Amino acid sequence: MSVGQVGVGIVGAGIVGCGAYRCLTTNPHAIERRAGGPVRVVQVADIDWAREREVDIPAELRTEDAFALTRNPEVHVVIEAVGGTTVARDVIRSAIEHGKSVVTPNKELIARHGAELLDAAREAEVDLEFEGSVGGVIPIVRSLKESLVATQINALYGILNGTTNYILTRMSREEVPFEEALAEAQAKGYAEQDPSADIEGHDAANKIAILAAIAFGRRVTIDEAYREGISKIAPADIRYARDLGYVIKLLAIAKRGDNQIELRVHPALIRLDHPLAAVNDVYNAVFVEGVESGNVMLYGRGAGSLPTGTAVAGDVVDCARNIFRGSPGRVPCTCQGEAVVRPIEEIEAPNYIRMRVKDRPGVMGAIATLFGAEQVSLESVVQEGSFGEEAEIVWVTHRVKESALRAALRRISELDVVVRVENCIRAEA
Ligand code: HSE
């Protein structure tokens, strides 16, 4: 295909669609130099043009028909900025069928249907790029696919959800209650429409599944990722963790094993001197452990109109460059076979455990005996404060198999002197 300019169509003029529009229209000369020719937004589709927007999209570019846009011969690259997995999937399929390259920041869609869509793109010899789907502006997808391709990646640790990182940072620094911090994150436009996608870790799980597939070269089934959210984290946990030399983050983890991978999202204690401990507010980061590369960390804004728009626009330039050179579809999906995800019961980590107990002689001994009976080795224990006839005890274990810890906690919960196990948080990184 020989074209004089690459036409871009944007489907969805929401926060990300408008951000991409701004990035593509603000620096057209720099983009032209990099792409090897002019790149112009030629059409924008949305079903609601009455809504107020941060950018003024000229009337002649507007349409309400997304599928007219995917058929438009002036459009060579389609940006899917609809979100969700229904209309967005149809838009991408239609664009590919009409020979367009596609850029999407849609993590849920790529995590669930990426394999199918990438296969369709390969057959149609077009590009399907999704840098903005993970970590907003952070160039982690391209880094894993290209810059770090010559190293064996053994583990990825990501702070991949800005909303929960913002909430945990606010809870930790200003002791703001959870609900207030969530409301602030929503007001700033970081949160998903359904806050449980952030709070319960679905958003981060989609993102780490995408990264694991690329890093390990295997297709990953997102439903196999283990997931725990942050709603059980109490100010007390944050305080105790700090006293022990840790911060609590919602961590997304992917690790290479012999025959299996680990894929999980849960709150985790991170040592205060680890680089990830300094990632605060809405910022995201990915810490990569590679054999030849050593450790690499990428850091930046994980959400928001312009950061995500920057990533989307960068992908558009890559697609445009390939179109100008007549070589779209040159980097197909390289994930071969399916990844087998290790069951959570089989993973090993040190753990922090906070429990409420009756404040009586012999209680600590009784609990420690049950930990020992299940082969859970203890590193430290502190008793902090009294609550009437009750006390709070915080244990830190050595590295322990999850199944052994769960067995111990089941037996401990049955002791008369144990009021309840309040929280149990793995330590990582
Ligand atoms: N809700 C997401 C976050 C937005 O908080 O990080 C970007 O995916």
Side-chain angles (χ1 to χ4, degrees), residues 331-361:
V331 191
C333 178
T334 51
C335 303
Q336 312 292 336
E338 302 291 325
V340 179
V341 176
R342 177 170 295 156
I344 191 71
E345 293 75 13
E346 289 177 24
I347 70 126
E348 290 183 13
N351 272 258
Y352 152 105
I353 301 138
R354 177 168 63 91
M355 56 180 70
R356 196 55 94 81
V357 299
K358 301 268 171 61
D359 199 359
R360 284 190 211 146

Side-chain angles (χ1 to χ4, degrees), residues 47 84 95 105 119 128 174 186 212 277-278 300 304 324:
I47 46 172
D119 283 348
L128 170 56
E174 272 117 310
Q186 285 174 312
F324 282 127

Side-chain angles (χ1 to χ4, degrees), residues 77-88:
V77 180
V78 172
I79 297 173
E80 178 280 306
V82 181
T85 56
T86 54
V87 178

